[in-house]
Amino acid sequence: MIADLHCHSYCSDGELAPAAVVARAAQRGVTLLALTDHDSIDGVAEAAAAALLAGIDFVAGVELSCRWEGRDIHIVGLRVDPVSPVLLAGLARQHEARRVRGQQIAARLVKAGVPDCLARACELAGTDRPGRPHFARAIVETGHARDVEHAFNRYLKQGQAAYVPTPWASLEEAVTWVVAAGGVAVVAHPTRYKLTRSKIKRLLTQFAAAGGQALEVQLPGQQLNQTQSLMEMGCQLGLAGSVASDFHGGSSPWSDLGAAGVLVAGIRPVWELFELPAR
Ligand code: MN
Ligand code: MN
Ligand code: MN
């Protein structure tokens, strides 16, 4: 079995339609797939139907942004009920936080001398809740930055005039929403937050105490000793392990669907938890 339990469609910041993600996963030999768009479950119905046709197993997922000790941490929810009222209310709150933040970024940009680019950023995002990459492109179009990277460095990144942190849910809230939706909460890409080993351990401990059940252990391009270290910490805390390409599109083989490989031996696979009845 080849599992890939973390990827994105154009329902968040991925390039492909949900059905195209599934078709590509099947073509690449993935036999168990979860679609985990950022703060969205809009793609899971289409993906589930496509998976049925492609003959691969599918679980509905979501990737929630949350705040923990002043940082943005991502929590993946797997096998969530897409019509859970608690989860849907949580997603609505995340969307509202992002919408308000977009207005604040736009206002700060105007103060910093950039023409109002909220409408253009919304247009680029295709929603009323644009993110920083959309603002960056809009700023470039006004001529106030050479390219997207320059726009980030000059206006949008932490410490610059138009930086506004998003008031995401807390770690505990995000886990609670997933559990209320009958799902399994998973800490996404623990090695990507630039945390020390002891901080990762504290994060995982608080996550487990809140009702979280797994962490992503197997990721593309990760050092073997990092994988080993995550596996050991997970085992100590009774957490299961997940496999995650975090595919967004593009053609790089190292970040493609299924590219995370097979889960390292020694930790309970997260899909064993799917066989248990929802709590
Ligand atoms: Mn993303
Ligand atoms: Mn993420
Ligand atoms: Mn992701």
Side-chain angles (χ1 to χ4, degrees), residues 176-195:
T176 303
W177 298 345
V178 171
V179 171
V184 174
V186 185
V187 174
H189 41 66
T191 46
R192 232 187 272 161
Y193 308 116
K194 299 190 176 111
L195 297 171

Side-chain angles (χ1 to χ4, degrees), residues 94-113:
Q94 300 277 90
H95 292 176
E96 182 60 10
R98 204 180 243 286
R99 191 185 66 79
V100 170
R101 176 205 192 217
Q103 294 177 330
Q104 291 169 341
I105 290 175
R108 288 188 184 212
L109 283 171
V110 168
K111 263 195 184 165

Side-chain angles (χ1 to χ4, degrees), residues 24-223:
R24 186 176 179 125
Q27 190 198 343
R28 290 187 46 87
V30 173
T31 54
L32 173 62
L33 181 74
L35 181 69
T36 57
D37 276 309
H38 295 284
D39 299 299
S40 172
I41 48 166
D42 292 348
V44 301
E46 179 184 320
L52 206 60
L53 282 175
I56 68 173
D57 288 322
F58 178 78
V59 295
V62 65
E63 181 173 19
L64 300 168
S65 298
C66 66
R67 294 290 286 174
W68 179 76
E69 297 198 353
R71 295 164 194 272
D72 286 355
I73 300 288
H74 293 172
I75 298 296
V76 161
L78 295 178
R79 209 235 2 219
V80 290
D81 173 4
V83 295
S84 156
V86 174
L87 180 59
L88 290 175
L91 294 176
R93 213 181 96 188
Q94 300 277 90
H95 292 176
E96 182 60 10
R98 204 180 243 286
R99 191 185 66 79
V100 170
R101 176 205 192 217
Q103 294 177 330
Q104 291 169 341
I105 290 175
R108 288 188 184 212
L109 283 171
V110 168
K111 263 195 184 165
V114 181
D116 188 359
C117 49
L118 181 61
R120 181 62 183 142
C122 288
E123 197 175 34
L124 290 168
T127 68
D128 62 351
R129 38 180 206 279
R132 287 188 297 168
H134 308 115
F135 278 105
R137 285 165 60 194
I139 293 167
V140 171
E141 288 176 6
T142 68
H144 281 71
R146 285 189 302 276
D147 52 33
V148 163
E149 193 188 349
H150 187 216
F152 263 88
N153 288 334
R154 193 166 176 192
Y155 299 107
L156 296 168
K157 75 174 187 187
Q158 192 154 5
Q160 297 306 312
Y163 174 76
V164 181
T166 316
W168 298 123
S170 69
L171 175 75
E172 287 75 14
E173 286 170 325
V175 172
T176 303
W177 298 345
V178 171
V179 171
V184 174
V186 185
V187 174
H189 41 66
T191 46
R192 232 187 272 161
Y193 308 116
K194 299 190 176 111
L195 297 171
T196 60
R197 190 186 149 93
S198 65
K199 265 214 153 183
I200 292 180
K201 195 145 190 199
R202 191 157 81 238
L203 167 65
L204 293 174
T205 305
Q206 290 182 19
F207 167 78
Q213 293 179 280
L215 78 164
E216 290 178 355
V217 165
Q218 200 72 41
L219 296 128
Q222 191 170 254
Q223 305 279 327

Side-chain angles (χ1 to χ4, degrees), residues 4-36:
D4 189 342
L5 299 172
H6 183 152
C7 65
H8 299 271
S9 74
Y10 63 31
C11 293
S12 62
D13 57 350
E15 288 174 10
L16 304 178
V21 172
V22 172
R24 186 176 179 125
Q27 190 198 343
R28 290 187 46 87
V30 173
T31 54
L32 173 62
L33 181 74
L35 181 69
T36 57

